């Protein structure tokens, strides 16, 4: 077992390694695809965590392959550490929404610039909602039985993006984004 409890980033990497050995590059790609919309991690974090987990015996590094890529596989100790992490209650979420800081201090910006930022962000959320809707439409009818955890995560994404768009659409008139969602050129 590790000297300290697993952090969520390390635990997510162990979770992905349950599917089979992966290189650090593979893990970055899988993480961006599967959790990138709600959990951020960088390539340097992945490699740092892999090094620490290998030293703790949670993963085993395989032989280097082409392009010097090294696969990692989860060990039994890694499976136990992951199970222990998954069995703990999740910590409270922390909203880190940089746009909200900008809005809070918006009186220090020209109104058209703030409206432009809001429009750009609204457009990004609308695009993300469209992507989630397309993913939901592509699910087979039995998706709830086959992969209920991924479906539940997708449904959260749909609800979240709808709620954020509702917030944008209810902004007071002086904060309304311009049509088209692009920042005005100054």
């Amino acid at each position: 077992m590790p000297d300290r409890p697993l952090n969520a980033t390390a635990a997510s990497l162990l979770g992905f390694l349950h599917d089979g050995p992966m290189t650090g590059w593979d893990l970055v790609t899988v993480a961006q695809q599967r959790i990138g919309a709600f959990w951020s991690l960088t390539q340097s974090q992945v490699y740092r965590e892999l090094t620490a987990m290998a030293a703790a015996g949670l993963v085993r590094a395989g032989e280097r392959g082409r392009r010097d890529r090294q696969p990692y596989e989860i060990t039994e100790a890694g499976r136990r550490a992951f199970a222990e992490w998954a069995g703990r209650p999740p910590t409270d979420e922390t909203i880190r929404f940089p746009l909200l800081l900008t809005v809070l201090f918006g009186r220090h910006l020209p109104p058209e610039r703030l409206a432009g930022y809001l429009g750009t962000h609204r457009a990004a959320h609308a695009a993300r909602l469209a992507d989630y809707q397309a993913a939901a439409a592509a699910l087979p009818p039995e998706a709830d039985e086959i992969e209920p955890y991924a479906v539940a995560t997708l449904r959260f994404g749909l609800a979240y993006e709808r709620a954020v768009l509702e917030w944008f659409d209810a902004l007071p008139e002086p904060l309304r984004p311009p049509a088209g969602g692009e920042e005005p050129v100054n």
Side-chain angles (χ1 to χ4, degrees):
M1 284 301 203
D3 294 337
R4 59 183 171 83
L6 282 181
N7 63 55
T9 297
S12 70
L13 299 176
L14 289 176
F16 296 136
L17 287 172
H18 276 79
D19 295 339
M22 292 185 221
T23 66
W25 180 260
D26 296 334
L27 285 163
V28 169
T29 302
V30 168
Q32 287 172 342
Q33 292 170 348
R34 292 181 57 191
I35 65 174
F38 60 88
W39 192 263
S40 65
L41 76 159
T42 63
Q43 186 172 351
S44 62
Q45 282 178 299
V46 168
Y47 286 102
R48 186 173 49 247
E49 292 296 345
L50 285 171
T51 300
M53 290 190 300
L58 304 180
V59 297
R60 184 174 19 264
E63 303 237 356
R64 292 189 182 275
R66 343 179 318 223
R67 297 185 186 162
D68 207 30
R69 291 192 177 171
Q70 187 170 32
Y72 290 85
E73 64 181 327
I74 190 169
T75 63
E76 283 307 312
R79 289 180 193 283
R80 287 191 304 272
F82 178 81
E84 182 181 307
W85 171 83
R88 291 192 319 250
T91 59
D92 290 340
E93 68 273 4
T94 302
I95 296 175
R96 290 183 58 97
F97 199 156
L99 178 65
L100 288 179
L101 285 178
T102 303
V103 170
L104 178 64
F105 298 111
R107 69 179 176 276
H108 301 288
L109 287 171
E112 63 280 356
R113 180 170 294 159
L114 179 58
Y117 293 159
L118 289 162
T120 299
H121 281 259
R122 189 197 185 290
H125 284 278
R128 197 172 302 130
L129 176 60
D131 290 344
Y132 290 162
Q133 288 170 327
L139 291 174
E142 63 279 1
D144 280 335
E145 290 80 35
I146 296 171
E147 191 58 59
Y149 311 106
V151 172
T153 305
L154 175 59
R155 287 185 180 142
F156 178 88
L158 287 162
Y160 173 78
E161 295 303 339
R162 286 179 183 127
V164 171
L165 289 171
E166 185 178 310
W167 174 81
F168 277 112
D169 294 344
L171 286 169
E173 189 59 42
L175 301 181
R176 289 276 164 81
E182 295 302 318
E183 182 177 347
V185 177
N186 290 340

